[in-house]
Amino acid sequence: MALYFFHENHRQRIGRIGKIALFLDFDGTLVPIRKEPGLCYLTDSIKRELNALLCFPSIRITILTGRSLSDIKRRVGIKNIYYGGNHGVDIWGPDIRFTHPDAERARQILKRIKRELDAKFRGIDGVFIEDKKYSLTIHYRAAGREKVSSILSLFYRTAGKLIKEYGLDIIKGKSVLEIFPTSSWNKGRAALWLLSKLSGGFFPIYIGDDITDESAFSALRNRGITVCVGRSKQTFADYYIKSQREMVKFLQFIRKYHQPDDPL
């Protein structure tokens, strides 16, 4: 069972950490989930706290999201941090540029699948298919619960055979299905890969809200601090915060109690 993050013991623990690698999901973590994903942008208060954390040379920040790299960079708009798009198959940041080789190989078949799904879902209200260059996301949050079963059935009948034939993967999220270019990569492996590139022994802190974040909670569970947004009995995270509304408090907590040897 995950424990509530804001506890007296954590003040001392955060203070003892020399270098922090802070991994943050976007939708449902830094911003509330919306029926229309295009409306999601950082609030001024969240952006202020992220920029304040960047004043510490002992902190590195990564936004690790299912959104495309170009989309998340535009919506966050902060320099000198790391961005992991498409669940980390596409990574950009200071002195780092990485694209998983399976992602490039899958682009043509993803385009074909999108054409077929577009044809099948045309005219069905509340469903749209997002091309994120290295993955496809089928959004159905706005379709209504009564349509979910038929939407999923149509999806698998249309794309299931090609997904299996070309060795693609399906990732299930909150009212979304994602066609992913590889089963050998996820947010957990992306977080570990980035940690290996950060020299100097950075301690990972990861916070996220979705099923897709569980791979990172699992990968980092014995190496750092893992935090789930929202209380859940079925999570690998060690801690939780009550809701996305506590994210400002979470970032302020890190900033207030982190006491590196060499602050600016």
Side-chain angles (χ1 to χ4, degrees):
M1 175 74 71
L3 303 175
Y4 190 47
F5 177 77
F6 299 110
H7 190 275
E8 179 68 31
N9 291 342
H10 262 119
R11 298 180 184 184
Q12 300 175 4
R13 187 178 184 187
I14 297 298
R16 292 195 299 266
I17 298 171
K19 295 181 179 180
I20 293 175
L22 182 61
F23 295 92
L24 304 163
D25 177 42
F26 186 70
D27 295 277
T29 301
L30 288 178
V31 299
I33 291 178
R34 295 176 179 257
K35 287 185 177 179
E36 174 48 66
L39 299 177
C40 296
Y41 288 91
L42 289 185
T43 61
D44 290 340
S45 57
I46 290 284
K47 185 169 281 192
R48 276 197 303 270
E49 290 304 323
L50 291 175
N51 279 310
L53 287 172
L54 288 174
C55 291
F56 291 92
S58 54
I59 292 179
R60 301 289 185 272
I61 297 175
T62 299
I63 312 295
L64 197 51
T65 174
R67 289 178 180 263
S68 70
L69 182 61
S70 59
D71 186 39
I72 193 60
K73 288 171 67 177
R74 178 172 59 87
R75 293 183 185 280
V76 174
I78 297 177
K79 297 180 179 179
N80 299 319
I81 68 175
Y82 299 90
Y83 293 95
N86 287 291
H87 303 291
V89 300
D90 201 15
I91 298 173
W92 180 95
D95 303 319
I96 285 181
R97 187 68 181 93
F98 167 80
T99 301
H100 195 285
D102 286 350
E104 286 288 358
R105 287 193 287 266
R107 288 193 67 188
Q108 292 306 311
I109 188 58
L110 287 173
K111 289 180 180 179
R112 176 182 168 185
I113 292 173
K114 184 177 186 300
R115 288 194 299 270
E116 297 191 13
L117 288 173
D118 280 336
K120 292 293 185 180
F121 283 106
R122 188 175 296 120
I124 300 179
D125 292 337
V127 179
F128 74 94
I129 299 149
E130 181 185 4
D131 185 347
K132 300 188 296 188
K133 187 176 180 180
Y134 297 124
S135 68
L136 297 176
T137 299
I138 295 80
H139 298 266
Y140 54 91
R141 181 177 300 278
R145 292 183 179 179
E146 70 280 2
K147 295 182 182 179
V148 170
S149 179
S150 60
I151 288 169
L152 297 181
S153 178
L154 183 56
F155 167 81
Y156 284 105
R157 289 201 310 270
T158 305
K161 184 177 179 180
L162 286 173
I163 289 170
K164 184 177 181 179
E165 179 181 350
Y166 286 90
L168 308 180
D169 198 16
I170 297 175
I171 298 177
K172 299 177 181 179
K174 294 180 177 179
S175 297
V176 298
L177 282 174
E178 299 192 54
I179 304 176
F180 199 58
T182 177
S183 61
S184 66
W185 200 255
N186 52 39
K187 284 186 173 182
R189 293 188 178 185
L192 291 175
W193 184 89
L194 272 163
L195 273 177
S196 73
K197 303 299 178 183
L198 298 177
S199 60
F202 280 82
F203 181 90
I205 298 177
Y206 189 105
I207 181 164
D209 76 301
D210 204 353
I211 298 169
T212 60
D213 296 301
E214 290 297 328
S215 63
F217 295 154
S218 178
L220 300 175
R221 194 171 192 183
N222 297 319
R223 304 183 55 156
I225 293 173
T226 53
V227 184
C228 180
V229 179
R231 193 170 187 177
S232 172
K233 293 181 179 180
Q234 297 180 328
T235 180
F236 288 110
D238 294 313
Y239 304 95
Y240 74 95
I241 62 174
K242 294 177 182 177
S243 71
Q244 192 277 328
R245 290 187 294 273
E246 287 195 323
M247 270 307 299
V248 169
K249 181 180 178 182
F250 174 84
L251 296 173
Q252 289 173 338
F253 189 95
I254 300 297
R255 176 168 58 87
K256 182 176 181 180
Y257 296 107
H258 179 53
Q259 299 175 350
D261 294 332
D262 55 347
L264 291 179

